[in-house]
Amino acid sequence: VQLQASGGGLVQPGGSLRLSCRASGSIFSIKAMGWYRQAPGKQRELVADITSDGSTNYETSVKGRFTISRDNAKRTVYLQMKSLKPEDTAAYYCNAEGCSDPWTCGLDLWGQGTLVTVSS
């Protein structure tokens, strides 16, 4: 069971990027999925998360600029990032919580991280 993230890169201030993260392996169900980020010298922080029924939550500084979504059939979570700022530069990690079978929950999966650099 693993999460595979993609979509990071170098972008100019004001630009856009879309991150994707797909879960693969033996997973019975996925509950919440989310994106975290960690800038150099800082702690990892929640950027946005989304429940299985589509309820979303955003960190204050990204509200109105980032949009999280998911495709349950594809077991994939997306993060559309617009109006990017230099302070958005960080390694972005996806996370998924779920169940490996109908009786065993508590899965807490992390992707490998994808680097987003916002610079002119």
Side-chain angles (χ1 to χ4, degrees):
V1 179
Q2 62 178 359
L3 298 180
Q4 183 67 42
S6 61
L10 173 65
V11 63
Q12 292 186 342
S16 299
L17 279 176
R18 188 193 195 208
L19 306 182
S20 299
C21 178
R22 181 178 179 272
S24 62
S26 180
I27 305 172
F28 174 73
S29 66
I30 299 176
K31 297 181 177 181
M33 302 185 82
W35 288 95
Y36 290 72
R37 66 186 178 187
Q38 187 168 18
K42 295 187 177 181
Q43 290 188 329
R44 188 174 297 188
E45 64 175 1
L46 175 67
V47 177
D49 60 19
I50 183 169
T51 63
S52 57
D53 64 359
S55 296
T56 59
N57 174 55
Y58 294 92
E59 193 270 327
T60 300
S61 70
V62 308
K63 286 182 179 179
R65 301 189 297 122
F66 292 10
T67 302
I68 189 170
S69 61
R70 64 190 281 176
D71 184 328
N72 291 328
K74 295 182 178 179
R75 295 180 172 178
T76 300
V77 62
Y78 306 96
L79 186 68
Q80 178 67 54
M81 304 183 292
K82 299 180 180 180
S83 302
L84 283 160
K85 304 175 181 180
E87 50 264 43
D88 295 317
T89 295
Y92 283 70
Y93 298 88
C94 57
N95 172 259
E97 299 175 353
C99 305
S100 56
D101 60 53
W103 310 278
T104 307
C105 294
L107 277 179
D108 187 17
L109 305 173
W110 289 91
Q112 82 282 13
T114 184
L115 186 61
V116 172
T117 303
V118 185
S119 176
S120 55

